[in-house]
Amino acid sequence: MAEAEKATKKAASRSGFTAEERAAMNDRAQENRRARTASKSDGTADLLAKIAEMPTHDRELAERLHALVTDVAPELTCRTWYGMPAYAKDGDVVCFFQSAAKFKSRYATLGFSDKAALDDGAIWPTYFALAEWTPAVEKQLRALVAKAFG
């Protein structure tokens, strides 16, 4: 095991959080501070800035998702949430994009909060792995976003 990896695990074991999780919490604290001092901005600039920081593959997925969400549900508010691009309705985050690089996972994720109208019986998915963008994936995502915000 590399020394840097050992140091990261040791730091995580002391606080209970990984460096990536601590960074996400710091992002959230900054978002809260900006929200208290900002004018009634819709957060689009912050969202696009977070997307621009992503590695190429994640950035391409996030840009396509952003275009899709703003097309399907233009009434939503763009914002960041724990440093991730997110979309809100009436102030509540309904869905968000998590870059694979953010927590060093093998795929990006599209997540939906409990505010999303995805209910389907007694059990339904709320997180979706997003490995690549294809016409079939786009069609499925359009249906999910329309249902979530419908």
Side-chain angles (χ1 to χ4, degrees):
M1 185 179 294
E3 289 302 314
E5 190 176 346
K6 285 181 185 177
T8 299
K9 286 186 179 194
K10 186 175 180 182
S13 68
R14 278 196 307 265
S15 70
F17 298 103
T18 66
E20 293 82 9
E21 290 167 331
R22 285 192 305 278
M25 290 184 286
N26 286 336
D27 284 341
R28 184 68 183 127
Q30 289 174 358
E31 292 160 3
N32 285 337
R33 281 191 292 277
R34 278 194 308 270
R36 284 193 302 269
T37 60
S39 63
K40 195 148 167 94
S41 167
D42 69 355
T44 302
D46 289 341
L47 179 143
L48 294 174
K50 283 297 180 184
I51 290 173
E53 294 172 2
M54 294 177 186
T56 303
H57 182 68
D58 288 342
R59 184 175 60 249
E60 290 169 354
L61 292 173
E63 287 170 346
R64 287 180 167 206
L65 181 65
H66 177 68
L68 184 146
V69 171
T70 55
D71 180 49
V72 171
E75 71 279 5
L76 299 179
T77 304
C78 296
R79 59 181 287 190
T80 58
W81 187 61
Y82 292 93
M84 298 177 281
Y87 304 89
K89 183 175 184 179
D90 300 327
D92 295 319
V93 169
V94 178
C95 75
F96 59 92
F97 176 82
Q98 182 177 300
S99 164
K102 184 157 186 82
F103 295 109
K104 299 178 183 157
S105 64
R106 63 185 180 99
Y107 48 79
T109 306
L110 173 61
F112 292 90
S113 75
D114 64 329
K115 305 296 183 198
L118 295 177
D119 304 39
D120 184 17
I123 185 171
W124 59 89
T126 57
Y127 288 84
F128 297 84
L130 187 53
E132 66 178 301
W133 196 277
T134 66
V137 167
E138 182 172 347
K139 182 177 179 181
Q140 187 176 3
L141 290 176
R142 275 187 182 281
L144 275 170
V145 170
K147 184 175 181 181
F149 291 102

